[in-house]
């Protein structure tokens, strides 16, 4: 018997999904501001589900599989890519993660796309964000859902996942049950609140780019009509670009907070249906977002549960390296110094 929990940290809510032998036992969403303001209360929600074998916790940009309790300061900064005291990003998330690390709960940090051996090295050049750990988790849910829907093993699952979150837009390419390419929220198309990838000249003109900068300049700031068109067109372009990395996607899966917005969904259907069928990735929970559901499936597979085949095919146990390993425009040493590391 396996009893596991998956946690998905979002800009608006932190979601919790629990499984016992693959069956749903916990389905919650807590406002992010509330969870970060009262970490102990959030920990009590996790403890309230009883003894668990594994918790796939908030992992930021990810790490090769690591127990939170043994996390070094270096690993912590590499996972969340922020210097101590930087208020940018999801403020307080790093403090919550430290509370989880000290809680005595079996919390595990999981990989981002950059750590996966299934993504070729040439696709990682000058990239840090090909997809954060929670996007990998959403892809895990997509694979599980795809397997169940078509009655196929993980080795025959090929699709593109388009994640339309409350702040960021990202997209992942899954071929034969493995993540092979992706655009992260800060390296891809414009998000609802985030600008997505920066024009290099804009970065030059900004002079100083902070974490907070990455959460600004999104479609919502451009005005209703212009912003919506840019948002949908950018997402559609991301899917078309990833068609290069997935030879025959069986479908295009939509997830994230904005995927269910009728007007956005209608425009995406019009733009993408010629490539492959477009379908909502709703999953099996009523409240917890896709990332939390996928994190729970991931934890179940890592604990030897019913989803083990999905985890083994993804190569999660073989994840390695850091998100700084493939930089050319700056040195790895300079990037480490920016994070306050020797």
């Amino acid at each position: 018997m396996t009893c596991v929990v998956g946690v998905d940290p979002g800009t608006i809510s932190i979601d919790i999904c629990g499984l016992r032998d693959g069956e749903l036992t916990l389905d919650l969403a807590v406002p992010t501001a509330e969870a970060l303001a009262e970490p102990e209360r959030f920990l009590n929600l996790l403890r309230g589900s009883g003894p668990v074998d594994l918790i796939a916790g908030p992992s930021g940009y990810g790490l090769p599989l690591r127990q939170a309790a043994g996390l070094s300061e270096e690993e912590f900064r590499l996972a969340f890519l922020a210097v101590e005291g930087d208020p940018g990003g999801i403020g307080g998330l790093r403090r919550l993660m430290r509370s989880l690390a000290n809680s005595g709960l079996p919390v595990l940090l999981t990989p981002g796309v950059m750590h996966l051996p299934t993504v070729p090295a040439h696709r990682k050049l000058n990239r840090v964000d090909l997809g954060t750990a929670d996007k990998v988790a959403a892809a895990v849910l997509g694979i599980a859902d795809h397997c169940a829907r078509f009655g196929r093993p993980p080795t025959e699952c090929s699709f593109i996942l388009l994640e339309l979150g409350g702040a960021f837009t990202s997209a992942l390419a899954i071929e034969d049950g493995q993540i092979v390419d992706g655009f992260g929220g800060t390296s891809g198309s414009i998000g609802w609140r985030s600008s997505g990838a920066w024009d290099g000249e804009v970065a030059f003109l900004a002079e100083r780019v902070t974490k907070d900068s990455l959460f600004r300049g999104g479609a919502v700031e451009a005005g209703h009509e212009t912003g919506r068109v840019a948002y949908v067109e950018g997402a559609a372009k991301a899917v078309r670009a990833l068609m290069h990395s997935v030879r025959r996607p069986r479908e295009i899966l939509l997830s994230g907070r904005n995927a269910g917005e009728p007007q956005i969904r209608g425009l995406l259907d019009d733009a993408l249906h010629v490539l492959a069928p477009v379908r909502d990735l709703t999953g099996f929970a009523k409240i917890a977002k896709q990332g939390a559901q996928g994190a729970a499936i991931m934890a179940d597979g890592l604990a030897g549960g019913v989803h083990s085949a999905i985890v083994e095919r993804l190569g999660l146990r073989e994840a390695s390296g850091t998100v700084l390993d493939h930089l050319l425009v700056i040195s790895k040493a300079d990037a480490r110094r920016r994070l306050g590391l020797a």
Side-chain angles (χ1 to χ4, degrees):
M1 175 183 288
T2 58
C3 185
V4 299
V5 173
V7 178
D8 177 32
T11 311
I12 297 170
S13 70
I14 296 182
D15 294 36
I16 306 170
C17 180
L19 298 176
R20 181 175 287 110
D21 284 344
E23 299 297 322
L24 184 66
T25 59
L26 197 59
D27 186 13
L28 300 170
V30 181
T32 299
E34 179 182 311
L36 300 182
E38 301 182 79
E40 192 58 35
R41 185 177 175 186
F42 182 79
L43 294 180
N44 287 336
L45 286 176
L46 297 179
R47 295 187 181 108
S49 62
V52 294
D53 299 305
L54 201 61
I55 298 174
S59 304
Y61 289 88
L63 288 173
L65 296 176
R66 293 287 189 276
Q67 292 289 339
L71 209 62
S72 69
E73 180 61 26
E74 176 169 326
E75 289 173 320
F76 195 91
R77 294 196 185 190
L78 287 171
F80 294 96
L81 291 183
V83 296
E84 200 62 38
D86 187 341
I90 301 178
L93 181 58
R94 298 184 292 280
R95 182 160 56 94
L96 175 64
M97 191 59 224
R98 290 190 191 277
S99 296
L100 284 166
N102 295 325
S103 67
L105 293 167
V107 179
L108 185 73
L109 272 75
T110 56
V113 174
M114 284 290 291
H115 302 94
L116 298 177
T118 54
V119 179
H122 69 270
R123 292 177 183 160
K124 299 179 180 181
L125 292 178
N126 288 323
R127 290 291 179 266
V128 166
D129 183 12
L130 289 179
T132 48
D134 57 301
K135 302 306 182 287
V136 172
V140 170
L141 174 65
I143 294 170
D145 183 84
H146 196 93
C147 288
R149 183 178 178 84
F150 294 106
R152 293 169 176 265
T155 53
E156 297 179 21
C157 292
S158 296
F159 58 91
I160 292 174
L161 173 68
L162 182 60
E163 172 95 355
L164 304 170
F168 298 96
T169 295
S170 64
L172 297 184
I174 292 86
E175 185 169 49
D176 300 333
Q178 297 179 327
I179 297 173
V180 296
D181 202 355
F183 293 113
T186 59
S187 70
S189 64
I190 190 170
W192 194 243
R193 297 187 185 184
S194 164
S195 67
W198 282 51
D199 182 320
E201 295 292 353
V202 173
F204 166 76
L205 292 170
E207 191 172 3
R208 183 170 181 265
V209 180
T210 65
K211 276 288 183 181
D212 189 55
S213 305
L214 305 182
F215 282 73
R216 298 201 311 265
V220 72
E221 294 182 36
H224 180 70
E225 186 60 26
T226 300
R228 187 183 60 189
V229 171
Y231 185 67
V232 171
E233 184 176 280
K237 285 180 178 178
V239 171
R240 287 181 176 273
L242 289 178
M243 293 286 290
H244 178 79
S245 302
V246 184
R247 290 165 294 179
R248 289 181 294 277
R250 194 176 180 95
E251 58 185 349
I252 298 165
L253 296 181
L254 304 182
S255 70
R257 190 172 298 277
N258 286 333
E261 204 283 318
Q263 208 166 31
I264 290 174
R265 174 58 196 271
L267 290 171
L268 281 172
D269 275 337
D270 291 343
L272 298 176
H273 78 276
V274 296
L275 304 177
V278 181
R279 184 168 65 84
D280 292 327
L281 176 61
T282 54
F284 51 84
K286 293 182 179 179
I287 300 173
K289 296 194 303 293
Q290 294 92 340
Q293 297 178 51
I297 291 172
M298 191 187 309
D300 176 80
L302 290 168
V306 297
H307 298 102
S308 295
I310 292 175
V311 166
E312 297 308 318
R313 181 62 181 166
L314 278 168
L316 295 182
R317 298 184 197 278
E318 291 73 48
S320 63
T322 80
V323 293
L324 309 181
D325 290 348
H326 298 272
L327 299 176
L328 301 177
V329 294
I330 62 172
S331 71
K332 185 175 180 179
D334 285 342
R336 288 175 58 85
R337 277 193 290 272
R338 179 73 176 90
L339 296 173
L341 298 174

